[in-house]
Amino acid sequence: MDLSRDRLLAVAAIAIDDASLALRDAIELPLDKPAEPLVELLEFIGKSPVVVFNADFNRQALMGAFETHLGFEPELEWLDAYWLLPCVFNDQHDRPVRLADWMKSMGIETFQRHRALGDAFALAKLLLAALSRASVRGHRSARSIIDLASTRKRLQRAISS
């Protein structure tokens, strides 16, 4: 996707409740008339962290949609699985890799790849595994896990520059 010329077609979210997928609390919202679905997404998110894969890209796309269609950018907490997964599963991949690579190495399948809800489902399954592994390593709070991923991102970028 090229954010300068492409737009989001849909957004999806799946709740995680007590270390399990709450599929009854899953949404997929087409963005053909974006204002109402974006409000619904914000209501769904509430005060929870937004878990995405490749947060820089996803944050830019979502925040652009919020600004364009709602007139503001909401204050959201972001957890980027792109950086979290190699922190807790460095035995699988010791650096950030594509979502497809994580899915393959962790044996995760989804019902519809490259679609909002299908990718959200795969990401939620990866997140559950990461939360379990992070908990064993002493990272039990959302803040601790977000900080773990953010620290990895800062360190990787410092090494690369």
Side-chain angles (χ1 to χ4, degrees):
M1 217 174 138
D2 179 350
L3 291 176
S4 66
R5 61 180 163 84
D6 296 326
R7 65 178 183 83
L8 289 175
L9 300 177
V11 292
I14 299 174
I16 293 179
D17 184 25
D18 198 25
S20 63
L21 293 180
L23 295 178
R24 68 189 177 288
D25 294 327
I27 60 172
E28 182 174 42
L29 305 166
L31 295 178
D32 48 341
K33 294 180 182 177
E36 188 175 318
L38 289 171
V39 169
E40 189 175 339
L41 178 64
L42 286 174
E43 289 171 348
F44 185 88
I45 293 168
K47 297 193 181 293
S48 299
V50 178
V51 180
V52 294
F53 193 87
N54 190 359
D56 292 339
F57 175 82
N58 287 288
R59 181 181 306 144
Q60 185 179 357
L62 270 175
M63 290 307 205
F66 288 130
E67 180 65 40
T68 299
H69 301 291
L70 301 180
F72 73 100
E73 291 185 0
E75 295 277 331
L76 299 173
E77 184 108 49
W78 298 86
L79 172 57
D80 193 346
Y82 180 79
W83 296 103
L84 175 65
L85 291 168
C87 291
V88 295
F89 291 112
N90 56 349
D91 55 323
Q92 298 288 326
H93 299 285
D94 62 353
R95 60 181 172 71
V97 296
R98 298 174 318 131
L99 180 59
D101 295 328
W102 281 110
M103 290 172 64
K104 182 177 180 182
S105 67
M106 302 290 287
I108 303 268
E109 294 188 18
T110 188
F111 53 89
Q112 200 170 41
R113 185 75 172 98
H114 299 297
R115 296 293 301 256
L117 190 58
D119 284 353
F121 181 70
L123 181 56
K125 289 168 74 174
L126 285 166
L127 178 64
L128 285 176
L131 292 175
S132 177
R133 175 79 64 97
S135 178
V136 168
R137 294 182 178 181
H139 300 280
R140 292 181 180 87
S141 71
R143 176 80 267 145
S144 175
I145 292 167
I146 290 168
D147 288 346
L148 181 66
S150 296
T151 300
R152 175 63 183 250
K153 179 180 178 179
R154 281 192 307 277
L155 289 172
Q156 188 75 33
R157 292 201 167 152
I159 292 168
S160 298
S161 46

Short mmCIF file of all heavy atoms in Angstrom, two decimals, residues 10 13 31 50 53 58 67-68 78 87 91 97 100 108 110 113 118 124 126 132 142:
data_model
loop_
_atom_site.label_atom_id
_atom_site.label_comp_id
_atom_site.label_asym_id
_atom_site.label_seq_id
_atom_site.Cartn_x
_atom_site.Cartn_y
_atom_site.Cartn_z
N ALA A 10 -10.78 -1.12 4.86
CA ALA A 10 -11.50 -1.66 6.01
C ALA A 10 -10.57 -1.67 7.22
O ALA A 10 -9.34 -1.65 7.07
CB ALA A 10 -11.99 -3.08 5.72
N ALA A 13 -10.84 -5.42 14.30
CA ALA A 13 -10.29 -5.56 15.64
C ALA A 13 -10.91 -6.78 16.30
O ALA A 13 -12.06 -7.12 16.04
CB ALA A 13 -10.58 -4.30 16.46
N LEU A 31 -14.71 0.81 5.06
CA LEU A 31 -14.54 2.26 5.15
C LEU A 31 -15.02 2.98 3.90
O LEU A 31 -14.48 4.02 3.53
CB LEU A 31 -13.08 2.60 5.45
CG LEU A 31 -12.56 2.12 6.81
CD1 LEU A 31 -11.10 2.47 6.97
CD2 LEU A 31 -13.38 2.69 7.94
N VAL A 50 -3.76 -0.38 21.14
CA VAL A 50 -4.00 -0.82 19.77
C VAL A 50 -2.81 -1.68 19.37
O VAL A 50 -1.68 -1.20 19.34
CB VAL A 50 -4.15 0.38 18.81
CG1 VAL A 50 -4.36 -0.09 17.39
CG2 VAL A 50 -5.28 1.28 19.27
N PHE A 53 0.70 -4.70 13.54
CA PHE A 53 1.97 -5.20 13.03
C PHE A 53 2.49 -4.13 12.09
O PHE A 53 1.81 -3.77 11.13
CB PHE A 53 1.78 -6.53 12.28
CG PHE A 53 3.07 -7.23 12.03
CD1 PHE A 53 3.61 -8.07 12.97
CD2 PHE A 53 3.76 -7.02 10.85
CE1 PHE A 53 4.81 -8.71 12.75
CE2 PHE A 53 4.96 -7.64 10.61
CZ PHE A 53 5.49 -8.50 11.56
N ASN A 58 0.78 1.50 9.96
CA ASN A 58 -0.62 1.43 10.38
C ASN A 58 -1.04 2.69 11.12
O ASN A 58 -2.16 3.17 10.95
CB ASN A 58 -0.86 0.19 11.24
CG ASN A 58 -0.85 -1.06 10.40
OD1 ASN A 58 -1.77 -1.30 9.65
ND2 ASN A 58 0.20 -1.85 10.51
N GLU A 67 -8.04 11.94 11.05
CA GLU A 67 -7.93 13.38 10.79
C GLU A 67 -8.81 13.79 9.62
O GLU A 67 -9.55 14.77 9.69
CB GLU A 67 -6.47 13.75 10.52
CG GLU A 67 -6.25 15.22 10.23
CD GLU A 67 -6.57 16.12 11.42
OE1 GLU A 67 -6.26 15.74 12.56
OE2 GLU A 67 -7.14 17.20 11.20
N THR A 68 -8.76 13.03 8.54
CA THR A 68 -9.53 13.38 7.34
C THR A 68 -11.04 13.28 7.56
O THR A 68 -11.78 14.17 7.16
CB THR A 68 -9.12 12.45 6.17
OG1 THR A 68 -7.73 12.64 5.90
CG2 THR A 68 -9.94 12.74 4.93
N TRP A 78 -0.08 2.44 21.37
CA TRP A 78 0.22 1.48 20.31
C TRP A 78 1.17 0.40 20.81
O TRP A 78 2.17 0.70 21.46
CB TRP A 78 0.86 2.19 19.13
CG TRP A 78 -0.02 3.21 18.50
CD1 TRP A 78 -0.17 4.51 18.88
CD2 TRP A 78 -0.91 3.02 17.40
NE1 TRP A 78 -1.09 5.14 18.07
CE2 TRP A 78 -1.56 4.25 17.15
CE3 TRP A 78 -1.21 1.92 16.59
CZ2 TRP A 78 -2.48 4.41 16.13
CZ3 TRP A 78 -2.13 2.09 15.58
CH2 TRP A 78 -2.75 3.33 15.36
N CYS A 87 11.46 -9.91 20.48
CA CYS A 87 11.90 -9.80 21.88
C CYS A 87 11.60 -11.08 22.65
O CYS A 87 12.41 -11.52 23.46
CB CYS A 87 11.19 -8.64 22.58
SG CYS A 87 11.65 -7.01 22.00
N ASP A 91 14.22 -17.09 19.70
CA ASP A 91 14.61 -18.42 19.25
C ASP A 91 14.02 -18.73 17.87
O ASP A 91 14.50 -19.60 17.16
CB ASP A 91 14.19 -19.48 20.27
CG ASP A 91 12.70 -19.43 20.60
OD1 ASP A 91 12.14 -18.32 20.68
OD2 ASP A 91 12.11 -20.50 20.80
N VAL A 97 10.76 -9.46 11.33
CA VAL A 97 10.51 -10.04 10.01
C VAL A 97 9.04 -9.82 9.64
O VAL A 97 8.25 -9.35 10.45
CB VAL A 97 10.87 -11.55 9.96
CG1 VAL A 97 12.36 -11.77 10.20
CG2 VAL A 97 10.05 -12.35 10.94
N ALA A 100 4.02 -12.74 7.59
CA ALA A 100 3.94 -14.08 7.00
C ALA A 100 5.03 -14.99 7.56
O ALA A 100 4.80 -16.19 7.77
CB ALA A 100 4.05 -14.00 5.48
N ILE A 108 0.84 -20.51 12.58
CA ILE A 108 -0.42 -19.74 12.68
C ILE A 108 -1.05 -19.65 11.30
O ILE A 108 -0.39 -19.27 10.34
CB ILE A 108 -0.16 -18.32 13.22
CG1 ILE A 108 0.55 -18.38 14.56
CG2 ILE A 108 -1.42 -17.49 13.21
CD1 ILE A 108 -0.27 -18.38 15.77
N THR A 110 -4.73 -18.39 9.15
CA THR A 110 -5.90 -17.53 9.23
C THR A 110 -6.86 -17.90 8.12
O THR A 110 -6.48 -18.57 7.16
CB THR A 110 -5.53 -16.04 9.18
OG1 THR A 110 -6.69 -15.26 9.44
CG2 THR A 110 -4.91 -15.64 7.85
N ARG A 113 -6.08 -14.21 4.51
CA ARG A 113 -4.87 -13.38 4.57
C ARG A 113 -5.05 -12.14 3.72
O ARG A 113 -5.71 -12.15 2.70
CB ARG A 113 -3.68 -14.23 4.09
CG ARG A 113 -2.35 -13.58 4.21
CD ARG A 113 -1.84 -13.54 5.66
NE ARG A 113 -0.48 -13.07 5.64
CZ ARG A 113 -0.15 -11.80 5.88
NH1 ARG A 113 -1.04 -10.92 6.20
NH2 ARG A 113 1.10 -11.44 5.82
N GLY A 118 -9.06 -11.18 8.74
CA GLY A 118 -8.17 -12.34 8.68
C GLY A 118 -6.80 -12.04 9.26
O GLY A 118 -6.25 -12.83 10.04
N ALA A 124 -3.81 -11.53 16.44
CA ALA A 124 -4.30 -11.81 17.79
C ALA A 124 -3.74 -13.14 18.30
O ALA A 124 -3.36 -13.25 19.48
CB ALA A 124 -5.83 -11.83 17.80
N LEU A 126 -0.89 -14.53 17.38
CA LEU A 126 0.53 -14.27 17.66
C LEU A 126 0.69 -13.50 18.96
O LEU A 126 1.60 -13.77 19.76
CB LEU A 126 1.18 -13.51 16.50
CG LEU A 126 1.47 -14.33 15.26
CD1 LEU A 126 1.79 -13.41 14.08
CD2 LEU A 126 2.62 -15.30 15.51
N SER A 132 1.96 -14.76 26.57
CA SER A 132 2.29 -15.90 27.42
C SER A 132 3.79 -15.98 27.67
O SER A 132 4.24 -16.12 28.80
CB SER A 132 1.78 -17.19 26.77
OG SER A 132 2.15 -18.30 27.55
N ALA A 142 0.45 -4.52 30.52
CA ALA A 142 0.44 -3.94 29.16
C ALA A 142 1.57 -2.92 29.03
O ALA A 142 2.26 -2.88 28.02
CB ALA A 142 -0.91 -3.30 28.86
#
